[in-house]
mmCIF file of all heavy atoms in Angstrom:
data_model
loop_
_atom_site.group_PDB
_atom_site.id
_atom_site.type_symbol
_atom_site.label_atom_id
_atom_site.label_comp_id
_atom_site.label_asym_id
_atom_site.label_seq_id
_atom_site.Cartn_x
_atom_site.Cartn_y
_atom_site.Cartn_z
ATOM 1 N N GLU A 56 -7.137 11.865 -7.450
ATOM 2 C CA GLU A 56 -5.885 11.663 -8.200
ATOM 3 C C GLU A 56 -6.023 10.356 -8.969
ATOM 4 O O GLU A 56 -6.756 9.459 -8.542
ATOM 5 C CB GLU A 56 -4.727 11.558 -7.186
ATOM 6 C CG GLU A 56 -3.349 11.579 -7.786
ATOM 7 C CD GLU A 56 -2.316 10.927 -6.853
ATOM 8 O OE1 GLU A 56 -2.237 9.688 -6.828
ATOM 9 O OE2 GLU A 56 -1.601 11.672 -6.169
ATOM 10 N N ARG A 60 -5.312 0.421 -10.193
ATOM 11 C CA ARG A 60 -5.577 -0.770 -9.365
ATOM 12 C C ARG A 60 -6.231 -0.457 -8.028
ATOM 13 O O ARG A 60 -7.120 -1.192 -7.599
ATOM 14 C CB ARG A 60 -4.348 -1.670 -9.240
ATOM 15 C CG ARG A 60 -3.149 -1.086 -8.618
ATOM 16 C CD ARG A 60 -1.872 -1.541 -9.282
ATOM 17 N NE ARG A 60 -1.561 -0.594 -10.346
ATOM 18 C CZ ARG A 60 -0.994 -0.921 -11.476
ATOM 19 N NH1 ARG A 60 -0.656 -2.140 -11.716
ATOM 20 N NH2 ARG A 60 -0.758 0.005 -12.372
ATOM 21 N N THR A 61 -5.813 0.617 -7.352
ATOM 22 C CA THR A 61 -6.379 0.862 -6.019
ATOM 23 C C THR A 61 -7.880 1.149 -6.125
ATOM 24 O O THR A 61 -8.690 0.606 -5.370
ATOM 25 C CB THR A 61 -5.641 2.025 -5.325
ATOM 26 O OG1 THR A 61 -4.245 1.736 -5.333
ATOM 27 C CG2 THR A 61 -6.104 2.205 -3.897
ATOM 28 N N ARG A 110 -8.384 9.218 -2.044
ATOM 29 C CA ARG A 110 -7.018 9.425 -2.552
ATOM 30 C C ARG A 110 -6.885 10.879 -2.975
ATOM 31 O O ARG A 110 -7.784 11.439 -3.626
ATOM 32 C CB ARG A 110 -6.729 8.519 -3.747
ATOM 33 C CG ARG A 110 -5.463 8.978 -4.466
ATOM 34 C CD ARG A 110 -5.004 8.033 -5.511
ATOM 35 N NE ARG A 110 -4.472 6.800 -4.913
ATOM 36 C CZ ARG A 110 -3.746 5.920 -5.592
ATOM 37 N NH1 ARG A 110 -3.469 6.133 -6.857
ATOM 38 N NH2 ARG A 110 -3.302 4.830 -5.018
ATOM 39 N N HIS A 143 0.036 5.095 2.336
ATOM 40 C CA HIS A 143 -0.856 4.292 1.499
ATOM 41 C C HIS A 143 -1.086 2.982 2.265
ATOM 42 O O HIS A 143 -0.564 1.920 1.887
ATOM 43 C CB HIS A 143 -0.178 4.060 0.149
ATOM 44 C CG HIS A 143 -1.077 3.536 -0.933
ATOM 45 N ND1 HIS A 143 -2.350 3.057 -0.698
ATOM 46 C CD2 HIS A 143 -0.875 3.431 -2.276
ATOM 47 C CE1 HIS A 143 -2.874 2.663 -1.851
ATOM 48 N NE2 HIS A 143 -2.007 2.885 -2.816
ATOM 49 N N GLN A 146 -2.126 -0.424 0.624
ATOM 50 C CA GLN A 146 -1.078 -1.031 -0.212
ATOM 51 C C GLN A 146 -0.070 -1.775 0.663
ATOM 52 O O GLN A 146 0.303 -2.913 0.369
ATOM 53 C CB GLN A 146 -0.373 0.053 -1.040
ATOM 54 C CG GLN A 146 0.749 -0.471 -1.923
ATOM 55 C CD GLN A 146 0.271 -1.352 -3.077
ATOM 56 O OE1 GLN A 146 -0.706 -1.017 -3.736
ATOM 57 N NE2 GLN A 146 0.932 -2.468 -3.325
ATOM 58 N N ARG A 183 4.733 7.095 -0.899
ATOM 59 C CA ARG A 183 3.859 6.837 0.265
ATOM 60 C C ARG A 183 3.823 5.331 0.551
ATOM 61 O O ARG A 183 3.621 4.906 1.674
ATOM 62 C CB ARG A 183 2.455 7.370 -0.012
ATOM 63 C CG ARG A 183 1.874 6.917 -1.351
ATOM 64 C CD ARG A 183 0.688 7.774 -1.737
ATOM 65 N NE ARG A 183 0.138 7.414 -3.031
ATOM 66 C CZ ARG A 183 -0.500 8.267 -3.805
ATOM 67 N NH1 ARG A 183 -0.654 9.518 -3.442
ATOM 68 N NH2 ARG A 183 -1.006 7.874 -4.954
ATOM 69 N N VAL A 184 4.013 4.528 -0.513
ATOM 70 C CA VAL A 184 4.031 3.061 -0.331
ATOM 71 C C VAL A 184 5.214 2.680 0.565
ATOM 72 O O VAL A 184 5.067 1.886 1.500
ATOM 73 C CB VAL A 184 4.131 2.350 -1.704
ATOM 74 C CG1 VAL A 184 4.277 0.848 -1.519
ATOM 75 C CG2 VAL A 184 2.928 2.669 -2.567
ATOM 76 N N ARG A 243 8.272 2.622 -8.219
ATOM 77 C CA ARG A 243 8.257 3.391 -9.464
ATOM 78 C C ARG A 243 8.998 4.715 -9.271
ATOM 79 O O ARG A 243 8.921 5.323 -8.205
ATOM 80 C CB ARG A 243 6.796 3.674 -9.836
ATOM 81 C CG ARG A 243 6.563 4.369 -11.145
ATOM 82 C CD ARG A 243 5.073 4.445 -11.420
ATOM 83 N NE ARG A 243 4.383 5.291 -10.452
ATOM 84 C CZ ARG A 243 4.159 6.590 -10.597
ATOM 85 N NH1 ARG A 243 4.591 7.212 -11.681
ATOM 86 N NH2 ARG A 243 3.508 7.276 -9.675
ATOM 87 N N GLN A 245 8.724 8.244 -9.556
ATOM 88 C CA GLN A 245 7.487 9.021 -9.625
ATOM 89 C C GLN A 245 7.729 10.407 -10.220
ATOM 90 O O GLN A 245 7.795 11.402 -9.514
ATOM 91 C CB GLN A 245 6.869 9.077 -8.235
ATOM 92 C CG GLN A 245 6.467 7.672 -7.828
ATOM 93 C CD GLN A 245 6.237 7.497 -6.350
ATOM 94 O OE1 GLN A 245 5.346 8.103 -5.771
ATOM 95 N NE2 GLN A 245 7.062 6.683 -5.755
ATOM 96 N N GLU A 247 5.998 12.400 -11.840
ATOM 97 C CA GLU A 247 5.006 13.470 -11.655
ATOM 98 C C GLU A 247 5.166 14.176 -10.310
ATOM 99 O O GLU A 247 4.642 15.263 -10.110
ATOM 100 C CB GLU A 247 3.575 12.921 -11.835
ATOM 101 C CG GLU A 247 2.983 12.148 -10.654
ATOM 102 C CD GLU A 247 3.485 10.703 -10.547
ATOM 103 O OE1 GLU A 247 4.424 10.332 -11.264
ATOM 104 O OE2 GLU A 247 2.931 9.954 -9.711
ATOM 105 N N ARG A 248 5.881 13.562 -9.368
ATOM 106 C CA ARG A 248 6.081 14.213 -8.065
ATOM 107 C C ARG A 248 7.464 14.846 -7.943
ATOM 108 O O ARG A 248 7.805 15.403 -6.912
ATOM 109 C CB ARG A 248 5.897 13.196 -6.929
ATOM 110 C CG ARG A 248 4.486 12.730 -6.813
ATOM 111 C CD ARG A 248 4.230 11.884 -5.577
ATOM 112 N NE ARG A 248 2.991 11.161 -5.789
ATOM 113 C CZ ARG A 248 2.781 9.889 -5.499
ATOM 114 N NH1 ARG A 248 3.713 9.188 -4.923
ATOM 115 N NH2 ARG A 248 1.630 9.329 -5.751
ATOM 116 N N PRO A 283 4.455 -2.186 -6.361
ATOM 117 C CA PRO A 283 3.045 -1.808 -6.161
ATOM 118 C C PRO A 283 2.325 -1.474 -7.470
ATOM 119 O O PRO A 283 1.084 -1.440 -7.485
ATOM 120 C CB PRO A 283 3.135 -0.569 -5.261
ATOM 121 C CG PRO A 283 4.493 0.014 -5.545
ATOM 122 C CD PRO A 283 5.380 -1.158 -5.857
ATOM 123 N N GLY A 284 3.100 -1.242 -8.556
ATOM 124 C CA GLY A 284 2.503 -0.793 -9.805
ATOM 125 C C GLY A 284 2.039 0.655 -9.647
ATOM 126 O O GLY A 284 1.838 1.097 -8.522
ATOM 127 N N PRO A 285 1.866 1.388 -10.712
ATOM 128 C CA PRO A 285 2.213 1.023 -12.087
ATOM 129 C C PRO A 285 3.730 0.972 -12.274
ATOM 130 O O PRO A 285 4.452 1.661 -11.581
ATOM 131 C CB PRO A 285 1.597 2.162 -12.904
ATOM 132 C CG PRO A 285 1.488 3.327 -11.954
ATOM 133 C CD PRO A 285 1.310 2.758 -10.607
HETATM 134 C C1 LIG B 401 1.180 3.578 -5.881
HETATM 135 C C2 LIG B 401 0.555 4.893 -5.518
HETATM 136 O O1 LIG B 401 -0.327 5.414 -6.204
HETATM 137 O O2 LIG B 401 0.983 5.379 -4.490
HETATM 138 N N1 LIG B 401 0.418 2.762 -6.694
HETATM 139 C C3 LIG B 401 -0.616 2.029 -6.175
HETATM 140 O O3 LIG B 401 -1.452 2.534 -5.468
HETATM 141 N N2 LIG B 401 -0.650 0.729 -6.470
HETATM 142 C C4 LIG B 401 2.578 3.692 -6.318
HETATM 143 C C5 LIG B 401 2.907 4.616 -7.436
HETATM 144 O O4 LIG B 401 2.155 5.488 -7.825
HETATM 145 O O5 LIG B 401 4.030 4.471 -7.932
#
Side-chain angles (χ1 to χ4, degrees):
E56 190 203 80
R60 61 218 90 214
T61 306
R110 166 171 290 195
H143 194 348
Q146 179 68 44
R183 50 196 178 207
V184 175
R243 184 174 66 92
Q245 295 162 63
E247 78 281 10
R248 292 188 198 137

